[in-house]
Amino acid sequence: MNPTLSIFYFLSFLTVLSALMVVFSRSPIHSVLYLILTFFCLTGHYILLNAQFLAAVNIIVYAGAIMVLFLFVIMFLNMKKEDEEAKTNLTKIAAMIVAGTLFVILFGAYRKSIIGAYNPYEYNSQVGMVESLGAVLFRDYLLPFELASVLFLIAMTGAVMLGRREVGERHF
């Protein structure tokens, strides 16, 4: 068996297992830890697809920063056992309806999708590399990239202005 194929099957199994454990875990801390494992497995898939930049961004942004944020929020929440029993049957039925609707939509989208054939003669090994991604980003998508950077600059300036203390304000 091809070693890449066996790595793919192992990562796929581990990804699905850890994603299911995110959903079925009782403890929110355990769910976040399983979600981190899911992100690491997805990073392995990105590496197998020769998308090294996406793999690095996935590790740095999602498995690093976002999951630390989730852990802090969960630790600040006061999770009690009474909250678990507070879920009514109406809430559970509404969750089942939403999940069923989402499944039907995803199944319909999958059924209508057309999967392209793989042509090994047209394969470009540089597709997922940073250099080719930067060339496409700054050549074809320069205006949206610059608009997004201006939007981030405005958001940062607004956050600094909102977080600034006024004269005479108490420091907690």
Side-chain angles (χ1 to χ4, degrees), residues 27-48:
S27 169
I29 303 268
H30 290 141
S31 290
V32 168
L33 293 175
Y34 284 125
L35 191 58
I36 291 171
L37 179 64
T38 305
F39 284 143
F40 275 108
C41 292
L42 289 175
T43 300
H45 284 288
Y46 287 142
I47 291 172
L48 286 177

Side-chain angles (χ1 to χ4, degrees), residues 138-160:
F138 288 119
R139 184 185 58 233
D140 299 337
Y141 298 102
L142 182 63
L143 181 64
F145 182 77
E146 291 298 326
L147 289 176
S149 66
V150 170
L151 180 68
F152 286 141
L153 179 66
I154 293 169
M156 285 190 313
T157 306
V160 167

Side-chain angles (χ1 to χ4, degrees), residues 5-40:
L5 193 60
S6 60
I7 292 172
F8 171 76
Y9 284 135
F10 174 72
L11 280 175
S12 298
F13 173 75
L14 197 60
T15 303
V16 170
L17 181 69
S18 61
L20 287 174
M21 291 304 293
V22 168
V23 175
F24 293 124
S25 179
R26 288 272 188 208
S27 169
I29 303 268
H30 290 141
S31 290
V32 168
L33 293 175
Y34 284 125
L35 191 58
I36 291 171
L37 179 64
T38 305
F39 284 143
F40 275 108

Side-chain angles (χ1 to χ4, degrees), residues 3-164:
T4 306
L5 193 60
S6 60
I7 292 172
F8 171 76
Y9 284 135
F10 174 72
L11 280 175
S12 298
F13 173 75
L14 197 60
T15 303
V16 170
L17 181 69
S18 61
L20 287 174
M21 291 304 293
V22 168
V23 175
F24 293 124
S25 179
R26 288 272 188 208
S27 169
I29 303 268
H30 290 141
S31 290
V32 168
L33 293 175
Y34 284 125
L35 191 58
I36 291 171
L37 179 64
T38 305
F39 284 143
F40 275 108
C41 292
L42 289 175
T43 300
H45 284 288
Y46 287 142
I47 291 172
L48 286 177
L49 289 171
N50 200 25
Q52 285 83 9
F53 180 73
L54 284 178
V57 167
N58 191 32
I59 289 292
I60 292 168
V61 174
Y62 289 110
I66 302 292
M67 288 302 111
V68 169
L69 178 70
F70 279 4
L71 279 174
F72 277 127
V73 168
I74 288 172
M75 285 191 267
F76 281 131
L77 292 176
N78 190 9
M79 304 295 286
K80 295 180 182 175
K81 284 293 182 185
E82 297 90 41
D83 294 339
E84 186 68 30
E85 278 85 33
K87 294 180 182 172
T88 62
N89 286 335
L90 182 64
T91 307
K92 292 178 183 177
I93 290 172
M96 294 284 285
I97 290 171
V98 168
T101 306
L102 181 65
F103 177 74
V104 168
I105 290 170
L106 287 176
F107 183 73
Y110 173 73
R111 200 170 55 88
K112 294 287 184 179
S113 66
I114 299 170
I115 298 173
Y118 171 69
N119 187 357
Y121 300 111
E122 293 180 4
Y123 178 71
N124 184 5
S125 65
Q126 299 299 314
V127 166
M129 301 295 183
V130 178
E131 183 179 352
S132 61
L133 181 66
V136 169
L137 188 64
F138 288 119
R139 184 185 58 233
D140 299 337
Y141 298 102
L142 182 63
L143 181 64
F145 182 77
E146 291 298 326
L147 289 176
S149 66
V150 170
L151 180 68
F152 286 141
L153 179 66
I154 293 169
M156 285 190 313
T157 306
V160 167
M161 293 302 290
L162 288 175
R164 192 176 59 151

